[in-house]
Amino acid sequence: EVQLVESGGGLVQPGRSLKLSCLASKFTFSNYGMNWIRQAPGKGLEWVASISSSGSYIYFADTVKGRFTISRDNAKNTLYLQMTSLRSEDTALYYCARHPQLGPYYFDYWGQGVMVTVSS
Amino acid sequence: DIQMTQSPPSLSASLGETVSIECRASEDIYSNLAWYQQKSGKSPQLLIYYASSLQDGVPSRFSGSGSGTQYSLKISGMQPEDEGVYYCLQGSKYPRTFGGGTKLELK
């Protein structure tokens, strides 16, 4: 069964940075596009960023563009989200999720999520 | 950006009742529509992709339909384990956008 395990969350002050990781297992990570999606407490789902299998294609939500960077290390089976200039509105549970091989049109497996709290 | 308008925001159904949830896109999304179920405290689980394809392992009482800008998820015979929040997702264009969610409860 596909496994995605996020880490790196925590409490951070506004304006500071944080880097999330997502360790993938039980599938060939380098063959799949990957994503970050977040969910503010008590709210709905918000797509954050996507990266293709090779890392050549990257997309961001306007709310994080210029502040967040998505990357991957296929040798380490790991997806990253570097978050800078954090704001209170970035407080959320951050999920990594996989695109299926059929195409980048939906997400087929999700991790359990990691909490990021931005507060002074 | 493509806006996804989901309705109703909440729904209460009796055991065995058939339930429908709708999603309307602000433009044609060419059946690039997925449905997710999120149970309390859990990650979203994929139910339906490409508007009507059932994800492996999902009970056959779940079905999806629609085209263009109008899509729906049907649960044929509500079960207690179907309680949760349901979201639609459009995968036609970036940024990917979700519907606002439908909270489904057992009456």
Side-chain angles (χ1 to χ4, degrees):
Chain A
E1 173 82 356
V2 168
Q3 290 188 359
L4 298 167
V5 180
E6 302 94 337
S7 60
L11 174 63
V12 61
Q13 293 179 326
R16 304 298 290 263
S17 299
L18 199 63
K19 188 172 185 177
L20 305 183
S21 300
C22 171
L23 179 62
S25 59
K26 307 288 179 68
F27 68 101
T28 304
F29 181 71
S30 58
N31 288 348
Y32 292 81
M34 297 295 296
N35 305 267
W36 289 99
I37 297 127
R38 68 184 181 184
Q39 187 169 35
K43 302 297 185 182
L45 299 167
E46 179 190 15
W47 169 80
V48 173
S50 295
I51 185 169
S52 61
S53 57
S54 64
S56 298
Y57 298 95
I58 287 174
Y59 305 90
F60 290 102
D62 285 346
T63 51
V64 306
K65 199 174 292 182
R67 299 188 299 122
F68 289 13
T69 303
I70 187 172
S71 62
R72 62 190 298 157
D73 185 335
N74 286 342
K76 295 183 177 180
N77 292 338
T78 304
L79 174 72
Y80 302 102
L81 185 68
Q82 176 70 55
M83 304 183 292
T84 65
S85 302
L86 282 161
R87 307 166 180 168
S88 58
E89 54 264 37
D90 296 318
T91 293
L93 187 63
Y94 284 74
Y95 296 101
C96 70
R98 191 186 80 165
H99 277 141
Q101 282 197 310
L102 288 175
Y105 308 110
Y106 59 98
F107 319 118
D108 60 354
Y109 287 94
W110 300 55
Q112 84 288 350
V114 62
M115 189 68 202
V116 173
T117 303
V118 183
S119 174
S120 54
Chain B
D1 299 0
I2 297 176
Q3 307 302 316
M4 301 300 295
T5 303
Q6 191 173 335
S7 61
S10 64
L11 192 52
S12 182
S14 301
L15 195 66
E17 183 178 347
T18 293
V19 169
S20 285
I21 298 169
E22 309 288 326
C23 251
R24 185 182 77 248
S26 58
E27 63 183 80
D28 195 329
I29 58 172
Y30 305 99
S31 297
N32 288 306
L33 190 285
W35 290 98
Y36 294 88
Q37 176 195 61
Q38 186 176 33
K39 296 184 179 181
S40 181
K42 300 293 187 182
S43 307
Q45 297 292 309
L46 177 66
L47 300 173
I48 301 285
Y49 60 95
Y50 292 152
S52 60
S53 295
L54 190 68
Q55 173 69 349
D56 289 346
V58 174
S60 58
R61 63 179 178 276
F62 290 92
S63 63
S65 63
S67 62
T69 62
Q70 300 274 3
Y71 299 86
S72 63
L73 173 72
K74 185 167 75 172
I75 307 173
S76 300
M78 174 75 180
Q79 299 299 308
E81 60 266 31
D82 298 338
E83 283 194 319
V85 182
Y86 291 78
Y87 295 95
C88 60
L89 162 74
Q90 69 80 16
S92 178
K93 286 184 179 178
Y94 286 100
R96 302 296 192 232
T97 45
F98 290 90
T102 295
K103 185 173 184 178
L104 175 61
E105 295 178 326
L106 184 64
K107 196 181 293 183

